[in-house]
């Protein structure tokens, strides 16, 4: 008799990703087996992922380790993190580490915690020489990410959700993006894996928590149970479209510059808006505007220098960058 369907599903998802990692890291004979880490909070999604990695990695000759990050945001978080580390060790993961981080305040509590977590995972991956870090984001997380992007109104890239492969050199892998949260929880239940439910996940002070417990259930009630799957599908379609537009913009960028490297307004005007705005955004970032502070409204203002020219003055952008039109050329520079 084979494993429970939920356990089979999580193992298959991890096996596929491990095969991808192996094919990308073909080692010469005699070199050590690649190390793959799992980032584990102790919640159902990441515990299911850790169990599947522990089961599948040895069969492929891959070393498997685990990292848990202590954000220090709750009383007793250090004890909780040590408990998760011991669970990872019990699964057979080695190394298994708990890393304490200091969470800043930039961008709000959720973004600050995420930034601190990824910085810690990046450092651990570099220090341990890991080929990849597995993250337990599910299809439900993807649906929430798409809705948050939609609410921000910041374009198709924000609707493309989380990538299956991301980070420096494709470091981060998300095997569960096609699996729902319930499958991961069921896999933990049938394997008798203890699960910790982070109180932040049900705290209405957090945007994603409100979306998870109020917004998505309301949408499902109004539109039916297929909403999560449809939103996840929207993410993939949006990602494909955004990738294609990015490639088009990269190819067109050189053709709209004159011999001195300045952007020619007439040539920019001839491009589709989605391509033109990507070129403008990239030019602003290259001039020193921080990508995270550069919003759609900033790019729309710069775009009006090309499409609605009425003698406007210079446009101020984040990072003390200014954009202005000079004799049929668009100049984006430090102010």
């Amino acid at each position: 008799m084979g494993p429970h369907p939920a356990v089979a599903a999580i193992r298959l998802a991890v096996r596929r990703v491990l095969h991808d990692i192996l094919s990308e890291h073909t080692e010469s004979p005699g070199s050590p087996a690649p190390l793959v880490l799992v980032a584990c909070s102790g919640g159902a999604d990441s515990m299911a992922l850790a169990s599947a990695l522990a089961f599948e990695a040895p069969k492929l000759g891959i070393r498997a380790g685990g990292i848990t990050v202590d954000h220090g945001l709750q009383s007793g978080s250090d004890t909780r993190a040590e408990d998760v580390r011991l669970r990872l060790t019990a699964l057979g993961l080695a190394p298994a580490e708990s890393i304490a981080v200091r969470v800043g305040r930039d961008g709000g509590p959720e973004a600050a915690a995420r930034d601190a977590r990824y910085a810690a995972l990046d450092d651990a991956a570099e220090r341990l020489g890991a080929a990849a870090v597995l993250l337990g984001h599910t299809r439900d997380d993807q649906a929430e990410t798409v809705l948050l992007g939609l609410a921000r109104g910041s374009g198709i890239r924000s609707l493309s959700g989380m990538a299956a492969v991301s980070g420096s050199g494709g470091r981060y892998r998300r095997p569960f993006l096609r699996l729902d949260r319930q499958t991961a929880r069921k896999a933990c239940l049938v394997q008798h894996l203890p699960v910790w439910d982070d109180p932040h996940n049900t705290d209405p002070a957090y945007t994603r928590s409100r979306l998870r417990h109020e917004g998505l259930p309301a949408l499902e009630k109004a539109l039916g149970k297929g909403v999560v799957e449809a939103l996840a599908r929207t993410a993939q379609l949006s990602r494909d479209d955004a990738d294609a537009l990015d490639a088009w913009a990269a190819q067109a960028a050189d053709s709209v510059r004159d011999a001195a490297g300045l952007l020619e307004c007439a040539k920019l005007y001839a491009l589709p808006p989605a391509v033109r705005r990507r070129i403008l955004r990239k030019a602003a970032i290259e001039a020193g505007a921080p990508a995270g502070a550069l919003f759609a409204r900033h790019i729309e203002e710069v775009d009006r220098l090309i499409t609605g020219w009425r003698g406007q003055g210079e446009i101020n952008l984040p990072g003390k960058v200014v954009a202005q039109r000079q004799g049929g050329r668009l100049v984006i520079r430090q102010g």
Side-chain angles (χ1 to χ4, degrees):
M1 183 176 174
H4 185 279
V7 175
I10 63 167
R11 288 177 179 175
L12 177 60
V14 167
R15 191 182 319 140
R16 284 171 171 161
V17 169
L18 293 181
H19 276 296
D20 290 343
I21 293 167
L22 270 182
S23 67
E24 294 162 16
H25 296 80
T26 49
E27 306 287 349
S28 55
S31 62
L35 170 66
V36 173
L37 300 172
V38 58
C40 185
S41 67
D45 304 340
S46 58
M47 278 304 297
L49 184 58
S51 71
L53 176 65
F55 182 82
E56 293 291 341
K59 299 197 294 184
L60 295 172
I62 290 174
R63 294 180 295 139
I67 303 290
T68 189
V69 177
D70 172 17
H71 298 87
L73 297 175
Q74 299 161 345
S75 176
S77 64
D78 53 343
T79 304
R80 174 70 58 191
E82 176 60 15
D83 183 47
V84 174
R85 189 191 69 78
L86 292 173
R87 288 187 214 168
L88 296 176
T89 300
L91 285 171
L93 299 179
E97 297 186 1
S98 168
I99 301 173
V101 298
R102 183 180 295 277
V103 176
R105 296 184 179 180
D106 290 348
E110 291 166 283
R114 184 176 61 246
D115 290 345
R117 180 167 61 253
Y118 277 102
L121 292 174
D122 279 334
D123 288 345
E126 295 284 350
R127 175 170 50 83
L128 297 171
V133 179
L134 306 188
L135 304 174
H137 298 118
T138 64
R139 190 171 68 185
D140 299 76
D141 295 305
Q142 186 73 298
E144 293 160 9
T145 303
V146 172
L147 282 175
L148 289 169
L150 186 63
R152 283 194 299 268
S154 51
I156 197 170
R157 179 56 76 186
S158 72
L159 300 186
S160 62
M162 296 174 285
V165 180
S166 65
S168 174
R171 167 175 293 154
Y172 293 108
R173 311 294 172 112
R174 297 177 173 89
F176 288 177
L177 280 185
R178 295 180 184 275
L179 297 180
D180 60 30
R181 190 173 287 143
Q182 197 56 41
T183 298
R185 187 167 286 277
K186 186 69 174 176
C188 289
L189 183 67
V190 299
Q191 293 180 105
H192 308 291
L193 293 173
V195 167
W196 174 61
D197 288 314
D198 186 345
H200 282 167
N201 290 338
T202 55
D203 187 341
Y206 293 91
T207 308
R208 190 178 282 267
S209 172
R210 292 195 302 273
L211 183 60
R212 180 173 301 177
H213 296 285
E214 300 170 30
L216 263 174
L219 276 177
E220 288 187 334
K221 185 177 179 182
L223 302 174
K225 285 290 186 184
V227 168
V228 167
E229 187 176 353
L231 287 167
R233 192 162 61 248
T234 295
Q236 186 56 57
L237 293 171
S238 298
R239 181 168 298 279
D240 292 344
D241 289 351
D243 287 347
L245 288 166
D246 286 349
W248 187 352
Q251 290 169 358
D254 290 337
S255 69
V256 297
R257 293 185 182 272
D258 63 13
L262 296 175
L263 292 164
E264 296 188 59
C265 294
K267 290 181 177 177
L268 283 167
Y269 186 86
L271 290 172
V275 176
R276 181 175 61 244
R277 288 173 184 164
R278 279 168 165 76
I279 293 173
L280 297 179
R281 177 179 171 80
K282 187 168 186 290
I285 292 169
E286 287 173 349
L294 201 57
F295 301 130
R297 59 183 171 83
H298 294 128
I299 302 306
E300 286 165 9
E301 274 193 85
V302 178
D303 198 38
R304 279 195 288 274
L305 295 177
I306 298 157
T307 61
W309 175 242
R310 297 183 185 86
Q312 300 99 305
E314 62 185 32
I315 305 294
N316 292 311
L317 299 173
K320 298 181 179 178
V321 171
V322 297
Q324 61 185 144
R325 181 163 172 153
Q326 296 178 340
R329 303 291 187 272
L330 185 69
V331 179
I332 303 179
R333 55 174 174 76
Q334 280 286 324

